[in-house]
Amino acid sequence: MRQRIAIYGGTFDPIHNGHWQVAKAIMNCFAMDRLLFVPAFVPPHKRGQQISSPFHRLAMLAVATMNEAQMFVSPVEVEAPERPYTVQTLDRLKAGLGNAQLFFVMGADSFRDVTTWREHQRLLSEYDVIVATRPGYQFGDQGETPIAAHLSPELQTKLVDLSGGQLPSEEDFASPRIYLTDYVEVDVSATDVREIAQQGKSIVNWVPPAVAAYIEKYKLYQKP
Ligand code: ATP
């Protein structure tokens, strides 16, 4: 059987319990063989004062996943700042991972913007995508705009609505799909965590324990 590998991209400044619980749930529900966190490079001119160096962000992912045998951090974007687009990252990972089936994981807020991404049609047709719900982003019950309304009719045929905690079926895995999932809903953002840390308050309830210790040790997010 082909290996299933989840690719979870983001800024991760820092990784928080929302990312963590989404990652765990997707590992379990999709019976993934591996999950790779891929921190984005983020060029210095876009960082403002807010975004930590890629090395701190990568280190926090490394300490968070230290005791998880199937979770890894990939430096693929940090090492190639000249190729920042997700579709390029997936192409490079695929080339190195042989016959594996790659599932790109994104939150519902990112999915709303996906049509502005480089080669989004190819990304969504050649790769599996798993969309994780996030508080404030419903999948579209009566009266709401459905979350995938911005996709072309062709891409819409790839949608698999797993809301209500449903699991994917083996038949779904035969060709690339766009899965809508709501396995967990965790109301936290990295912006919240940075603000809490900046106020000198404890962040232990919002990030994995090793990440809280790292932030404290290196005094991230504190006013200079
Ligand atoms: P920031 O507050 O700095 O914008 P963030 O919390 O949105 O950060 P990112 O690192 O930008 O975190 O997110 C990486 C990916 O994880 C994105 O696809 C985002 O949609 C998703 N994500 C972030 N937080 C959650 C959450 N609480 N639940 C589900 N998905 C999330």
Side-chain angles (χ1 to χ4, degrees):
M1 211 171 67
R2 285 173 83 191
Q3 285 230 328
R4 284 180 207 146
I5 304 182
I7 311 294
Y8 199 170
T11 313
F12 300 114
D13 188 25
I15 175 174
H16 56 62
N17 289 344
H19 302 127
W20 190 249
Q21 290 196 34
V22 164
K24 285 274 195 181
I26 284 171
M27 289 283 296
N28 289 335
C29 296
F30 279 71
M32 295 288 177
D33 294 287
R34 260 185 283 169
L35 180 141
L36 308 188
F37 287 102
V38 182
F41 172 72
V42 189
H45 66 275
K46 286 199 186 161
R47 279 184 214 157
Q49 291 182 317
Q50 292 268 311
I51 301 180
S52 308
S53 95
F55 305 105
H56 276 310
R57 293 183 287 108
L58 188 138
M60 288 190 279
L61 287 161
V63 297
T65 53
M66 197 54 119
N67 296 319
E68 297 288 334
Q70 292 162 287
M71 287 191 187
F72 296 84
V73 188
S74 167
V76 66
E77 290 200 357
V78 169
E79 284 176 348
E82 72 285 4
R83 284 171 289 175
Y85 298 106
T86 297
V87 72
Q88 300 173 320
T89 301
L90 291 171
D91 291 345
R92 262 178 294 156
L93 288 171
K94 188 161 181 58
L97 290 168
N99 190 32
Q101 188 166 5
L102 304 191
F103 296 75
F104 185 71
V105 179
M106 65 169 96
D109 56 321
S110 304
F111 186 61
R112 286 252 191 231
D113 298 335
V114 76
T115 49
T116 64
W117 291 19
R118 166 79 61 111
E119 289 187 70
H120 85 273
Q121 296 269 4
R122 184 164 80 77
L123 195 167
L124 297 175
S125 351
E126 287 186 13
Y127 294 97
D128 284 275
V129 170
I130 302 175
V131 182
T133 191
R134 204 172 169 173
Y137 291 87
Q138 266 62 47
F139 284 148
D141 300 315
Q142 287 91 15
E144 296 160 12
T145 311
I147 190 147
H150 56 328
L151 301 187
S152 66
E154 196 193 332
L155 288 176
Q156 299 217 8
T157 64
K158 297 185 176 298
L159 291 170
V160 179
D161 186 352
L162 297 178
S163 54
Q166 296 172 75
L167 300 178
S169 67
E170 283 299 324
E171 295 91 79
D172 291 330
F173 293 136
S175 62
R177 303 281 188 183
I178 303 166
Y179 297 92
L180 305 179
T181 69
D182 61 0
Y183 300 128
V184 293
E185 196 158 330
V186 190
D187 196 2
V188 60
S189 70
T191 307
D192 297 337
V193 175
R194 293 194 299 271
E195 281 175 9
I196 295 168
Q198 208 167 64
Q199 290 161 11
K201 295 185 193 150
S202 170
I203 50 167
V204 289
N205 291 332
W206 305 108
V207 298
V211 176
Y214 185 100
I215 291 170
E216 198 159 307
K217 179 168 178 180
Y218 287 92
K219 309 220 178 304
L220 299 188
Y221 314 127
Q222 295 188 4
K223 290 205 180 91

mmCIF file of all heavy atoms in Angstrom, residues 36-60:
data_model
loop_
_atom_site.group_PDB
_atom_site.id
_atom_site.type_symbol
_atom_site.label_atom_id
_atom_site.label_comp_id
_atom_site.label_asym_id
_atom_site.label_seq_id
_atom_site.Cartn_x
_atom_site.Cartn_y
_atom_site.Cartn_z
ATOM 1 N N LEU A 36 4.588 15.696 8.331
ATOM 2 C CA LEU A 36 5.725 16.631 8.305
ATOM 3 C C LEU A 36 5.211 18.048 8.509
ATOM 4 O O LEU A 36 4.349 18.504 7.759
ATOM 5 C CB LEU A 36 6.437 16.632 6.953
ATOM 6 C CG LEU A 36 6.911 15.351 6.298
ATOM 7 C CD1 LEU A 36 7.744 15.695 5.060
ATOM 8 C CD2 LEU A 36 7.741 14.540 7.265
ATOM 9 N N PHE A 37 5.717 18.716 9.521
ATOM 10 C CA PHE A 37 5.455 20.149 9.646
ATOM 11 C C PHE A 37 6.474 20.876 8.762
ATOM 12 O O PHE A 37 7.676 20.560 8.807
ATOM 13 C CB PHE A 37 5.648 20.614 11.092
ATOM 14 C CG PHE A 37 4.557 20.179 12.033
ATOM 15 C CD1 PHE A 37 4.736 19.108 12.906
ATOM 16 C CD2 PHE A 37 3.340 20.854 12.061
ATOM 17 C CE1 PHE A 37 3.736 18.725 13.784
ATOM 18 C CE2 PHE A 37 2.328 20.474 12.935
ATOM 19 C CZ PHE A 37 2.525 19.404 13.808
ATOM 20 N N VAL A 38 5.992 21.832 7.989
ATOM 21 C CA VAL A 38 6.887 22.577 7.096
ATOM 22 C C VAL A 38 6.786 24.065 7.413
ATOM 23 O O VAL A 38 5.866 24.755 6.950
ATOM 24 C CB VAL A 38 6.523 22.334 5.613
ATOM 25 C CG1 VAL A 38 7.506 23.076 4.695
ATOM 26 C CG2 VAL A 38 6.512 20.848 5.282
ATOM 27 N N PRO A 39 7.711 24.581 8.240
ATOM 28 C CA PRO A 39 7.663 26.017 8.523
ATOM 29 C C PRO A 39 8.029 26.818 7.273
ATOM 30 O O PRO A 39 8.959 26.461 6.550
ATOM 31 C CB PRO A 39 8.714 26.200 9.634
ATOM 32 C CG PRO A 39 9.621 25.015 9.530
ATOM 33 C CD PRO A 39 8.810 23.886 8.937
ATOM 34 N N ALA A 40 7.282 27.887 7.045
ATOM 35 C CA ALA A 40 7.536 28.746 5.884
ATOM 36 C C ALA A 40 8.751 29.620 6.163
ATOM 37 O O ALA A 40 9.019 29.975 7.314
ATOM 38 C CB ALA A 40 6.316 29.626 5.639
ATOM 39 N N PHE A 41 9.447 29.995 5.104
ATOM 40 C CA PHE A 41 10.635 30.834 5.301
ATOM 41 C C PHE A 41 10.244 32.231 5.810
ATOM 42 O O PHE A 41 10.723 32.692 6.822
ATOM 43 C CB PHE A 41 11.447 30.919 4.001
ATOM 44 C CG PHE A 41 12.560 31.906 4.099
ATOM 45 C CD1 PHE A 41 13.674 31.629 4.870
ATOM 46 C CD2 PHE A 41 12.506 33.131 3.441
ATOM 47 C CE1 PHE A 41 14.704 32.546 4.996
ATOM 48 C CE2 PHE A 41 13.532 34.055 3.560
ATOM 49 C CZ PHE A 41 14.625 33.757 4.339
ATOM 50 N N VAL A 42 9.351 32.897 5.127
ATOM 51 C CA VAL A 42 8.906 34.285 5.378
ATOM 52 C C VAL A 42 10.086 35.266 5.255
ATOM 53 O O VAL A 42 10.924 35.370 6.150
ATOM 54 C CB VAL A 42 8.223 34.489 6.747
ATOM 55 C CG1 VAL A 42 7.601 35.889 6.805
ATOM 56 C CG2 VAL A 42 7.155 33.436 7.012
ATOM 57 N N PRO A 43 10.144 35.967 4.126
ATOM 58 C CA PRO A 43 11.277 36.866 3.898
ATOM 59 C C PRO A 43 11.325 37.992 4.934
ATOM 60 O O PRO A 43 10.283 38.435 5.415
ATOM 61 C CB PRO A 43 11.009 37.436 2.501
ATOM 62 C CG PRO A 43 9.599 37.107 2.182
ATOM 63 C CD PRO A 43 9.183 35.958 3.037
ATOM 64 N N PRO A 44 12.553 38.455 5.253
ATOM 65 C CA PRO A 44 12.703 39.467 6.308
ATOM 66 C C PRO A 44 11.814 40.698 6.089
ATOM 67 O O PRO A 44 11.235 41.201 7.036
ATOM 68 C CB PRO A 44 14.189 39.841 6.234
ATOM 69 C CG PRO A 44 14.848 38.637 5.637
ATOM 70 C CD PRO A 44 13.842 38.003 4.718
ATOM 71 N N HIS A 45 11.660 41.138 4.823
ATOM 72 C CA HIS A 45 10.873 42.351 4.614
ATOM 73 C C HIS A 45 9.392 42.135 4.907
ATOM 74 O O HIS A 45 8.644 43.087 5.050
ATOM 75 C CB HIS A 45 11.076 42.886 3.190
ATOM 76 C CG HIS A 45 10.533 41.991 2.119
ATOM 77 N ND1 HIS A 45 11.246 40.940 1.592
ATOM 78 C CD2 HIS A 45 9.350 41.966 1.478
ATOM 79 C CE1 HIS A 45 10.520 40.322 0.670
ATOM 80 N NE2 HIS A 45 9.359 40.924 0.590
ATOM 81 N N LYS A 46 8.951 40.897 4.989
ATOM 82 C CA LYS A 46 7.548 40.640 5.329
ATOM 83 C C LYS A 46 7.382 40.300 6.808
ATOM 84 O O LYS A 46 6.287 40.086 7.285
ATOM 85 C CB LYS A 46 7.008 39.467 4.500
ATOM 86 C CG LYS A 46 6.753 39.825 3.060
ATOM 87 C CD LYS A 46 5.825 38.823 2.429
ATOM 88 C CE LYS A 46 5.659 39.073 0.956
ATOM 89 N NZ LYS A 46 5.162 37.902 0.254
ATOM 90 N N ARG A 47 8.491 40.210 7.517
ATOM 91 C CA ARG A 47 8.394 39.747 8.895
ATOM 92 C C ARG A 47 7.915 40.822 9.846
ATOM 93 O O ARG A 47 7.360 40.521 10.881
ATOM 94 C CB ARG A 47 9.756 39.235 9.385
ATOM 95 C CG ARG A 47 10.014 37.837 8.927
ATOM 96 C CD ARG A 47 11.324 37.329 9.501
ATOM 97 N NE ARG A 47 11.933 36.439 8.522
ATOM 98 C CZ ARG A 47 13.219 36.165 8.460
ATOM 99 N NH1 ARG A 47 14.052 36.728 9.310
ATOM 100 N NH2 ARG A 47 13.676 35.346 7.563
ATOM 101 N N GLY A 48 8.172 42.068 9.512
ATOM 102 C CA GLY A 48 7.843 43.141 10.448
ATOM 103 C C GLY A 48 8.578 42.862 11.747
ATOM 104 O O GLY A 48 9.642 42.249 11.757
ATOM 105 N N GLN A 49 8.004 43.264 12.849
ATOM 106 C CA GLN A 49 8.656 42.975 14.125
ATOM 107 C C GLN A 49 8.119 41.670 14.678
ATOM 108 O O GLN A 49 8.623 41.147 15.650
ATOM 109 C CB GLN A 49 8.340 44.083 15.127
ATOM 110 C CG GLN A 49 8.992 45.388 14.761
ATOM 111 C CD GLN A 49 8.669 46.416 15.814
ATOM 112 O OE1 GLN A 49 7.528 46.521 16.274
ATOM 113 N NE2 GLN A 49 9.670 47.178 16.217
ATOM 114 N N GLN A 50 7.065 41.190 14.027
ATOM 115 C CA GLN A 50 6.276 40.157 14.672
ATOM 116 C C GLN A 50 6.807 38.747 14.472
ATOM 117 O O GLN A 50 6.742 37.943 15.374
ATOM 118 C CB GLN A 50 4.843 40.211 14.117
ATOM 119 C CG GLN A 50 4.107 41.461 14.526
ATOM 120 C CD GLN A 50 3.325 41.237 15.797
ATOM 121 O OE1 GLN A 50 2.606 40.266 15.891
ATOM 122 N NE2 GLN A 50 3.489 42.101 16.776
ATOM 123 N N ILE A 51 7.325 38.446 13.283
ATOM 124 C CA ILE A 51 7.588 37.038 12.998
ATOM 125 C C ILE A 51 9.016 36.643 13.381
ATOM 126 O O ILE A 51 9.979 37.289 12.977
ATOM 127 C CB ILE A 51 7.300 36.716 11.520
ATOM 128 C CG1 ILE A 51 5.833 37.041 11.227
ATOM 129 C CG2 ILE A 51 7.584 35.259 11.218
ATOM 130 C CD1 ILE A 51 5.417 36.769 9.813
ATOM 131 N N SER A 52 9.120 35.582 14.147
ATOM 132 C CA SER A 52 10.428 35.124 14.625
ATOM 133 C C SER A 52 11.229 34.530 13.472
ATOM 134 O O SER A 52 10.674 34.136 12.446
ATOM 135 C CB SER A 52 10.249 34.048 15.690
ATOM 136 O OG SER A 52 9.375 34.495 16.679
ATOM 137 N N SER A 53 12.534 34.373 13.690
ATOM 138 C CA SER A 53 13.387 33.817 12.644
ATOM 139 C C SER A 53 12.944 32.394 12.337
ATOM 140 O O SER A 53 12.394 31.696 13.195
ATOM 141 C CB SER A 53 14.846 33.837 13.086
ATOM 142 O OG SER A 53 15.200 32.592 13.639
ATOM 143 N N PRO A 54 13.188 31.956 11.085
ATOM 144 C CA PRO A 54 12.802 30.585 10.717
ATOM 145 C C PRO A 54 13.446 29.554 11.637
ATOM 146 O O PRO A 54 12.890 28.492 11.859
ATOM 147 C CB PRO A 54 13.345 30.426 9.300
ATOM 148 C CG PRO A 54 13.624 31.788 8.803
ATOM 149 C CD PRO A 54 13.815 32.678 9.985
ATOM 150 N N PHE A 55 14.604 29.883 12.172
ATOM 151 C CA PHE A 55 15.321 28.900 12.989
ATOM 152 C C PHE A 55 14.621 28.683 14.326
ATOM 153 O O PHE A 55 14.476 27.558 14.791
ATOM 154 C CB PHE A 55 16.786 29.342 13.157
ATOM 155 C CG PHE A 55 17.421 29.571 11.816
ATOM 156 C CD1 PHE A 55 17.654 30.841 11.346
ATOM 157 C CD2 PHE A 55 17.693 28.499 10.986
ATOM 158 C CE1 PHE A 55 18.187 31.049 10.079
ATOM 159 C CE2 PHE A 55 18.228 28.699 9.715
ATOM 160 C CZ PHE A 55 18.474 29.978 9.259
ATOM 161 N N HIS A 56 14.141 29.756 14.944
ATOM 162 C CA HIS A 56 13.363 29.584 16.179
ATOM 163 C C HIS A 56 12.071 28.817 15.887
ATOM 164 O O HIS A 56 11.671 27.933 16.645
ATOM 165 C CB HIS A 56 12.994 30.946 16.772
ATOM 166 C CG HIS A 56 14.073 31.549 17.620
ATOM 167 N ND1 HIS A 56 14.707 30.862 18.623
ATOM 168 C CD2 HIS A 56 14.623 32.787 17.616
ATOM 169 C CE1 HIS A 56 15.599 31.647 19.209
ATOM 170 N NE2 HIS A 56 15.578 32.815 18.605
ATOM 171 N N ARG A 57 11.419 29.157 14.788
ATOM 172 C CA ARG A 57 10.130 28.510 14.489
ATOM 173 C C ARG A 57 10.341 27.030 14.211
ATOM 174 O O ARG A 57 9.562 26.172 14.647
ATOM 175 C CB ARG A 57 9.445 29.228 13.321
ATOM 176 C CG ARG A 57 9.030 30.648 13.719
ATOM 177 C CD ARG A 57 8.273 31.393 12.637
ATOM 178 N NE ARG A 57 9.099 31.825 11.538
ATOM 179 C CZ ARG A 57 9.087 31.307 10.312
ATOM 180 N NH1 ARG A 57 8.240 30.330 10.019
ATOM 181 N NH2 ARG A 57 9.884 31.760 9.369
ATOM 182 N N LEU A 58 11.428 26.711 13.510
ATOM 183 C CA LEU A 58 11.739 25.310 13.235
ATOM 184 C C LEU A 58 12.131 24.583 14.529
ATOM 185 O O LEU A 58 11.700 23.452 14.788
ATOM 186 C CB LEU A 58 12.859 25.228 12.207
ATOM 187 C CG LEU A 58 13.147 23.819 11.702
ATOM 188 C CD1 LEU A 58 13.369 23.837 10.191
ATOM 189 C CD2 LEU A 58 14.360 23.219 12.369
ATOM 190 N N ALA A 59 12.887 25.264 15.373
ATOM 191 C CA ALA A 59 13.318 24.633 16.634
ATOM 192 C C ALA A 59 12.109 24.325 17.521
ATOM 193 O O ALA A 59 12.046 23.267 18.160
ATOM 194 C CB ALA A 59 14.293 25.554 17.361
ATOM 195 N N MET A 60 11.127 25.217 17.531
ATOM 196 C CA MET A 60 9.937 24.960 18.365
ATOM 197 C C MET A 60 9.174 23.738 17.849
ATOM 198 O O MET A 60 8.682 22.934 18.633
ATOM 199 C CB MET A 60 9.048 26.205 18.409
ATOM 200 C CG MET A 60 9.663 27.312 19.245
ATOM 201 S SD MET A 60 8.538 28.680 19.568
ATOM 202 C CE MET A 60 8.666 29.616 18.054
#
